[in-house]
PDB file of all heavy atoms in Angstrom:
ATOM      1  N   ASP V  49      -9.441   3.069 -27.408  1.00  0.00           N
ATOM      2  CA  ASP V  49     -10.823   3.737 -27.379  1.00  0.00           C
ATOM      3  C   ASP V  49     -11.724   2.985 -26.473  1.00  0.00           C
ATOM      4  O   ASP V  49     -12.468   3.587 -25.638  1.00  0.00           O
ATOM      5  CB  ASP V  49     -11.379   3.744 -28.821  1.00  0.00           C
ATOM      6  CG  ASP V  49     -10.780   4.796 -29.745  1.00  0.00           C
ATOM      7  OD1 ASP V  49      -9.819   5.432 -29.223  1.00  0.00           O
ATOM      8  OD2 ASP V  49     -11.109   4.956 -30.877  1.00  0.00           O
ATOM      9  N   GLN V  50     -11.755   1.612 -26.592  1.00  0.00           N
ATOM     10  CA  GLN V  50     -12.613   0.866 -25.786  1.00  0.00           C
ATOM     11  C   GLN V  50     -12.266   0.954 -24.338  1.00  0.00           C
ATOM     12  O   GLN V  50     -13.073   0.946 -23.436  1.00  0.00           O
ATOM     13  CB  GLN V  50     -12.653  -0.631 -26.302  1.00  0.00           C
ATOM     14  CG  GLN V  50     -13.321  -0.884 -27.562  1.00  0.00           C
ATOM     15  CD  GLN V  50     -14.893  -0.561 -27.367  1.00  0.00           C
ATOM     16  OE1 GLN V  50     -15.456   0.485 -27.742  1.00  0.00           O
ATOM     17  NE2 GLN V  50     -15.633  -1.443 -26.628  1.00  0.00           N
ATOM     18  N   ALA V  51     -10.918   0.930 -24.083  1.00  0.00           N
ATOM     19  CA  ALA V  51     -10.422   1.030 -22.765  1.00  0.00           C
ATOM     20  C   ALA V  51     -10.822   2.298 -22.076  1.00  0.00           C
ATOM     21  O   ALA V  51     -11.241   2.388 -20.941  1.00  0.00           O
ATOM     22  CB  ALA V  51      -8.896   0.882 -22.716  1.00  0.00           C
ATOM     23  N   CYS V  52     -10.805   3.422 -22.851  1.00  0.00           N
ATOM     24  CA  CYS V  52     -11.176   4.746 -22.333  1.00  0.00           C
ATOM     25  C   CYS V  52     -12.736   4.777 -22.034  1.00  0.00           C
ATOM     26  O   CYS V  52     -13.173   5.280 -20.956  1.00  0.00           O
ATOM     27  CB  CYS V  52     -10.803   5.793 -23.302  1.00  0.00           C
ATOM     28  SG  CYS V  52     -10.690   7.463 -22.545  1.00  0.00           S
ATOM     29  N   ARG V  53     -13.477   4.259 -22.956  1.00  0.00           N
ATOM     30  CA  ARG V  53     -14.965   4.171 -22.703  1.00  0.00           C
ATOM     31  C   ARG V  53     -15.209   3.356 -21.445  1.00  0.00           C
ATOM     32  O   ARG V  53     -16.124   3.747 -20.645  1.00  0.00           O
ATOM     33  CB  ARG V  53     -15.615   3.571 -23.888  1.00  0.00           C
ATOM     34  CG  ARG V  53     -15.671   4.429 -25.153  1.00  0.00           C
ATOM     35  CD  ARG V  53     -16.589   3.881 -26.185  1.00  0.00           C
ATOM     36  NE  ARG V  53     -16.502   4.620 -27.469  1.00  0.00           N
ATOM     37  CZ  ARG V  53     -15.829   4.379 -28.501  1.00  0.00           C
ATOM     38  NH1 ARG V  53     -15.032   3.295 -28.490  1.00  0.00           N
ATOM     39  NH2 ARG V  53     -15.878   5.094 -29.598  1.00  0.00           N
ATOM     40  N   ARG V  54     -14.532   2.233 -21.303  1.00  0.00           N
ATOM     41  CA  ARG V  54     -14.783   1.393 -20.202  1.00  0.00           C
ATOM     42  C   ARG V  54     -14.405   2.064 -18.934  1.00  0.00           C
ATOM     43  O   ARG V  54     -15.107   1.965 -17.826  1.00  0.00           O
ATOM     44  CB  ARG V  54     -13.926   0.097 -20.301  1.00  0.00           C
ATOM     45  CG  ARG V  54     -14.129  -0.925 -19.180  1.00  0.00           C
ATOM     46  CD  ARG V  54     -13.239  -2.126 -19.296  1.00  0.00           C
ATOM     47  NE  ARG V  54     -11.829  -1.727 -19.102  1.00  0.00           N
ATOM     48  CZ  ARG V  54     -11.209  -1.525 -18.004  1.00  0.00           C
ATOM     49  NH1 ARG V  54     -11.904  -1.623 -16.862  1.00  0.00           N
ATOM     50  NH2 ARG V  54      -9.934  -1.167 -17.912  1.00  0.00           N
ATOM     51  N   LEU V  55     -13.217   2.813 -18.863  1.00  0.00           N
ATOM     52  CA  LEU V  55     -12.763   3.510 -17.708  1.00  0.00           C
ATOM     53  C   LEU V  55     -13.796   4.669 -17.283  1.00  0.00           C
ATOM     54  O   LEU V  55     -13.962   4.880 -16.071  1.00  0.00           O
ATOM     55  CB  LEU V  55     -11.367   4.071 -17.906  1.00  0.00           C
ATOM     56  CG  LEU V  55     -10.271   3.004 -17.929  1.00  0.00           C
ATOM     57  CD1 LEU V  55      -9.044   3.486 -18.429  1.00  0.00           C
ATOM     58  CD2 LEU V  55     -10.106   2.465 -16.444  1.00  0.00           C
ATOM     59  N   VAL V  56     -14.337   5.366 -18.299  1.00  0.00           N
ATOM     60  CA  VAL V  56     -15.307   6.472 -17.994  1.00  0.00           C
ATOM     61  C   VAL V  56     -16.454   5.784 -17.269  1.00  0.00           C
ATOM     62  O   VAL V  56     -16.933   6.354 -16.285  1.00  0.00           O
ATOM     63  CB  VAL V  56     -15.756   7.182 -19.262  1.00  0.00           C
ATOM     64  CG1 VAL V  56     -16.884   8.085 -18.967  1.00  0.00           C
ATOM     65  CG2 VAL V  56     -14.467   7.998 -19.799  1.00  0.00           C
ATOM     66  N   ARG V  57     -17.007   4.678 -17.810  1.00  0.00           N
ATOM     67  CA  ARG V  57     -18.135   4.034 -17.187  1.00  0.00           C
ATOM     68  C   ARG V  57     -17.723   3.537 -15.737  1.00  0.00           C
ATOM     69  O   ARG V  57     -18.541   3.665 -14.810  1.00  0.00           O
ATOM     70  CB  ARG V  57     -18.600   2.860 -18.023  1.00  0.00           C
ATOM     71  CG  ARG V  57     -19.285   3.285 -19.286  1.00  0.00           C
ATOM     72  CD  ARG V  57     -19.979   2.065 -20.014  1.00  0.00           C
ATOM     73  NE  ARG V  57     -19.073   0.980 -20.270  1.00  0.00           N
ATOM     74  CZ  ARG V  57     -18.447   0.829 -21.454  1.00  0.00           C
ATOM     75  NH1 ARG V  57     -18.624   1.756 -22.397  1.00  0.00           N
ATOM     76  NH2 ARG V  57     -17.640  -0.242 -21.673  1.00  0.00           N
ATOM     77  N   LEU V  58     -16.549   3.050 -15.579  1.00  0.00           N
ATOM     78  CA  LEU V  58     -16.148   2.455 -14.326  1.00  0.00           C
ATOM     79  C   LEU V  58     -15.978   3.624 -13.301  1.00  0.00           C
ATOM     80  O   LEU V  58     -16.462   3.540 -12.125  1.00  0.00           O
ATOM     81  CB  LEU V  58     -14.790   1.792 -14.509  1.00  0.00           C
ATOM     82  CG  LEU V  58     -14.293   0.988 -13.355  1.00  0.00           C
ATOM     83  CD1 LEU V  58     -15.139  -0.205 -13.032  1.00  0.00           C
ATOM     84  CD2 LEU V  58     -12.778   0.486 -13.655  1.00  0.00           C
ATOM     85  N   LEU V  59     -15.398   4.722 -13.727  1.00  0.00           N
ATOM     86  CA  LEU V  59     -15.267   5.876 -12.784  1.00  0.00           C
ATOM     87  C   LEU V  59     -16.563   6.475 -12.442  1.00  0.00           C
ATOM     88  O   LEU V  59     -16.815   6.922 -11.327  1.00  0.00           O
ATOM     89  CB  LEU V  59     -14.330   6.920 -13.423  1.00  0.00           C
ATOM     90  CG  LEU V  59     -12.859   6.601 -13.650  1.00  0.00           C
ATOM     91  CD1 LEU V  59     -12.200   7.526 -14.592  1.00  0.00           C
ATOM     92  CD2 LEU V  59     -12.165   6.656 -12.264  1.00  0.00           C
ATOM     93  N   GLY V  60     -17.510   6.424 -13.419  1.00  0.00           N
ATOM     94  CA  GLY V  60     -18.884   6.934 -13.110  1.00  0.00           C
ATOM     95  C   GLY V  60     -19.559   6.106 -12.127  1.00  0.00           C
ATOM     96  O   GLY V  60     -20.223   6.594 -11.170  1.00  0.00           O
ATOM     97  N   ALA V  61     -19.463   4.696 -12.286  1.00  0.00           N
ATOM     98  CA  ALA V  61     -20.133   3.805 -11.395  1.00  0.00           C
ATOM     99  C   ALA V  61     -19.567   3.936  -9.970  1.00  0.00           C
ATOM    100  O   ALA V  61     -20.241   3.693  -8.986  1.00  0.00           O
ATOM    101  CB  ALA V  61     -19.978   2.369 -11.944  1.00  0.00           C
ATOM    102  N   GLY V  62     -18.307   4.278  -9.899  1.00  0.00           N
ATOM    103  CA  GLY V  62     -17.608   4.358  -8.624  1.00  0.00           C
ATOM    104  C   GLY V  62     -17.903   5.703  -7.928  1.00  0.00           C
ATOM    105  O   GLY V  62     -17.612   5.920  -6.769  1.00  0.00           O
TER     106      GLY V  62
END
Side-chain angles (χ1 to χ4, degrees):
D49 288 359
Q50 284 299 104
C52 201
R53 290 189 182 98
R54 181 185 66 79
L55 285 165
V56 168
R57 291 193 298 269
L58 190 65
L59 290 163

